[in-house]
Amino acid sequence: MKNKFIKEFVWIIVILIVSILTGTVLMIASYALPTEPMKMHARETISMMADEGDDYKWILKDFTSMAANFTDSLMINTAVYDGKESLLEKALLNPRTNYAEGTQTRKLINALQDVPGGDAFTYGRYWHGYLVILKPLLFIFNYYQIRWLNTIIGCSLISIIMIGFYKKFGSCKYALAFAASVLFLNPVVMRGSLQYNTVFYVIMIEYIFALYKGDSLEKKGKYDLIFLMSGILVAFFDLLTYPIAALGMLLVLQLLMFESNFIKDVIRAARSSIVWIIGYLGMWCGKWVVASLLTDENIIADAIGEVLFRTGTDTGTEEWIFSWRELFRGNFIWIYGENAVLFKMFVIMLVAGVIALLIGKNLQIHFKLSTVIILLLFCMIPVVRFIVFSNHSFMHSVFTYREGMVYVMAALCAGFSGLKLKEKRE
C-alpha cells in the first residue's frame, strides 16, 4: 500500500514537472509569432470595443450579464504587445502597454493606435496560457469573429456532453442538471467574453474525458489523472476567475459515476481534491519559480504578496470597505439583484419541474441518503472559496459568483438522483 502511494505520488510530480516545462515551451512558441497581423485584426473591432467599454451589460440592469471587457482588453493588449524585451522575458513576464489614465478598453485602443505615452506593465504571476490559443486566433480572426467561433465551439462541446450523460446514465436527468449549471454561467455573456471561458473550456474537456473515457481510466486505476490535469490546465489558462468550479463539477460527476458507500465516497472525494489542488498549486507555483529563475523579476515574492492580499480583508483603498455581509451579498446577488434574470429563470424551471413530477405517472422515487448528503456537502465548495479568498471574492463578485455553478449542479443532481422511470410491465 505504501509503495503504491509513493509510486503514484512520484508520477504526479513527474507529470507536474513535464507540464511546467511544456507550458514554458508553449508560451515561448506563442510569443515567437509576429504580432503585426494580430494588431491588424484587433484594430478591426476598435469601434465595437469603444462602444461597449469596460462595463457593458448584455442584459440591461442585470448584474450577471456584465461582459468581461475589462479583462478581455487586458488579454488582447497582452497578446499584441511587441516591446523590446527578449522573447523569454515576454513569455515569462507577459507585459502589455499601459497608460496612466483611461479604462482598460481605452488603454487597449490606445495601444492598437500606437498612441504615445504608453509604458510596459508586466503581469508575470499568472501563466497567461490563454495566449497559446488567443495569439494564433488573432493571427487569423478579429475579436468579433472570435466571439462567434467561441459560441460555435462552446455549443458543440455542451452537446457532446449532453449526449455523453444520456449514454452513461440512460436518462436525461443529469444532463438537465448540467444544462442548468451552464445556464447559471449566463451563456449570453459567456459567448462574448474571453476571460470567462478559460475555466469553462477546462470543465467541458474534463467532462468529455470523464464521460467517454472515465470507465477505462477507472479500470486502470488512473481516474485521478483527470483531476490532476484539470488543476494543471486551470492554473495554466485562467486568471483566477472561478477556478474551484472545475474541481467541484468534477467531484459531482465522479460521485454519480462511481458511487459506493458514504465512507468510501468521502475518502475518494478528499483524495481526488488533494490531487487537483496539487496540480493547480504546483502548476501555478511552477510559473513563479521559472519566471524568477530566468528573468530579473522576483515573481515569487510578488505572487506570495498577492496571495496574502487576496486571502485577507484589506481592499487597499478607502473607497471600498470590506464586509462579510457585502461579500456574500455580491456573490448571491443573482438571486435578488435588480432584474435578476438568472433567478427568474431558475424559478420558472423549478415550477416546470414540479408540474412535470405531479403529472408524471411513470416515476418512482427512491433516494440513496449517503449520495444526497455528499452532493449537498459539495454545495458548500463555492462558499469555502468565497471565505478563503475573501478579498478576491468581495472585490470581484461580478465573476466569482460563477463558482456557484457547483451548487446548482450538486443540488439538482441530489434531487434528480432519486427519480427513476418505472419499468413497463408486459
Side-chain angles (χ1 to χ4, degrees):
M1 184 71 177
K2 184 179 178 181
N3 290 336
K4 181 182 178 182
F5 172 79
I6 294 174
K7 184 178 179 181
E8 289 178 352
F9 183 75
V10 169
W11 267 111
I12 288 173
I13 299 303
V14 169
I15 292 171
L16 192 54
I17 292 173
V18 171
S19 298
I20 292 170
L21 294 175
T22 302
T24 303
V25 171
L26 287 174
M27 292 303 297
I28 293 172
S30 66
Y31 270 92
L33 293 172
T35 57
E36 195 51 45
M38 302 178 201
K39 279 189 173 182
M40 179 187 70
H41 287 114
R43 289 186 185 113
E44 293 176 2
T45 52
I46 283 179
S47 60
M48 181 187 78
M49 291 186 286
D51 290 340
E52 292 184 4
D54 280 3
D55 303 322
Y56 181 76
K57 289 184 178 179
W58 290 91
I59 302 173
L60 185 64
K61 296 183 179 180
D62 179 57
F63 172 82
T64 67
S65 70
M66 184 177 293
N69 291 3
F70 177 95
T71 308
D72 281 13
S73 297
L74 180 154
M75 294 164 73
I76 296 172
N77 195 343
T78 305
V80 302
Y81 179 84
D82 189 26
K84 298 179 180 179
E85 297 86 352
S86 68
L87 179 62
L88 186 63
E89 287 175 325
K90 290 176 185 175
L92 296 179
L93 298 179
N94 315 107
R96 66 179 185 271
T97 305
N98 189 47
Y99 292 84
E101 297 180 354
T103 64
Q104 201 66 242
T105 305
R106 174 46 58 184
K107 291 176 181 179
L108 169 61
I109 293 172
N110 288 346
L112 293 174
Q113 294 177 334
D114 297 318
V115 175
D119 297 311
F121 182 87
T122 59
Y123 202 16
R125 59 178 172 268
Y126 294 104
W127 274 99
H128 297 267
Y130 59 85
L131 292 172
V132 173
I133 298 173
L134 181 57
K135 277 177 168 285
L137 285 177
L138 281 173
F139 204 81
I140 304 171
F141 305 107
N142 62 40
Y143 184 31
Y144 178 78
Q145 293 166 335
I146 290 173
R147 282 179 169 181
W148 275 108
L149 184 63
N150 175 52
T151 304
I152 295 169
I153 295 174
C155 290
S156 300
L157 294 179
I158 291 170
S159 299
I160 292 171
I161 292 171
M162 297 286 279
I163 295 170
F165 267 110
Y166 185 79
K167 287 184 175 180
K168 175 64 183 174
F169 298 102
S171 73
C172 296
K173 60 182 183 180
Y174 295 136
L176 292 175
F178 171 76
S181 69
V182 171
L183 286 173
F184 181 81
L185 299 176
N186 199 328
V188 176
V189 178
M190 296 292 291
R191 65 160 295 275
S193 301
L194 303 176
Q195 180 197 20
Y196 296 156
N197 281 284
T198 50
V199 174
F200 170 78
Y201 279 118
V202 174
I203 294 173
M204 298 300 104
I205 292 169
E206 69 187 21
Y207 260 50
I208 289 172
F209 268 91
L211 288 168
Y212 289 90
K213 298 294 182 181
D215 288 334
S216 61
L217 288 172
E218 178 71 5
K219 290 177 182 177
K220 297 175 183 177
K222 296 181 179 180
Y223 189 84
D224 275 343
L225 277 175
I226 299 179
F227 280 90
L228 179 64
M229 293 310 301
S230 171
I232 289 172
L233 290 174
V234 170
F236 183 67
F237 287 108
D238 187 43
L239 291 175
L240 196 58
T241 53
Y242 50 105
I244 301 303
L247 169 61
M249 292 291 287
L250 199 50
L251 285 172
V252 172
L253 182 56
Q254 177 180 255
L255 179 63
L256 298 177
M257 292 178 66
F258 308 114
E259 62 178 333
S260 178
N261 60 58
F262 183 79
I263 299 299
K264 289 182 178 179
D265 289 339
V266 169
I267 291 174
R268 177 165 187 162
R271 184 192 68 200
S272 298
S273 298
I274 292 171
V275 172
W276 189 93
I277 291 170
I278 290 173
Y280 181 70
L281 293 181
M283 187 66 178
W284 201 4
C285 293
K287 170 62 187 295
W288 307 347
V289 173
V290 171
S292 296
L293 289 175
L294 300 181
T295 71
D296 294 330
E297 298 284 335
N298 189 346
I299 301 300
I300 295 176
D302 173 62
I304 292 175
E306 187 65 15
V307 169
L308 294 174
F309 176 63
R310 291 305 184 186
T311 54
T313 56
D314 180 20
T315 63
T317 174
E318 295 180 357
E319 299 176 1
W320 218 347
I321 306 301
F322 177 91
S323 78
W324 290 103
R325 178 179 178 275
E326 289 301 313
L327 182 153
F328 286 105
R329 180 181 180 276
N331 283 282
F332 288 92
I333 199 171
W334 62 274
I335 296 176
Y336 59 85
E338 189 176 11
N339 215 346
V341 172
L342 281 180
F343 182 65
K344 293 174 183 176
M345 177 187 69
F346 280 114
V347 169
I348 293 171
M349 291 176 64
L350 179 62
V351 172
V354 171
I355 293 173
L357 287 174
L358 291 175
I359 64 176
K361 297 180 180 180
N362 296 318
L363 280 178
Q364 63 180 26
I365 301 175
H366 178 72
F367 289 96
K368 185 177 180 181
L369 184 60
S370 63
T371 299
V372 172
I373 291 174
I374 294 173
L375 285 170
L376 293 179
L377 287 175
F378 288 161
C379 292
M380 296 303 296
I381 291 174
V383 178
V384 173
R385 182 264 202 255
F386 298 151
I387 294 173
V388 174
F389 288 90
S390 49
N391 165 286
H392 189 261
S393 302
F394 172 73
M395 298 185 72
H396 298 295
S397 59
V398 69
F399 56 79
T400 61
Y401 90 88
R402 285 179 168 82
E403 301 278 20
M405 75 179 300
V406 176
Y407 46 67
V408 172
M409 181 70 175
L412 288 177
C413 286
F416 290 155
S417 64
L419 305 181
K420 295 182 181 179
L421 288 174
K422 293 179 181 178
E423 294 183 4
K424 294 182 179 181
R425 296 180 180 180
E426 297 293 337

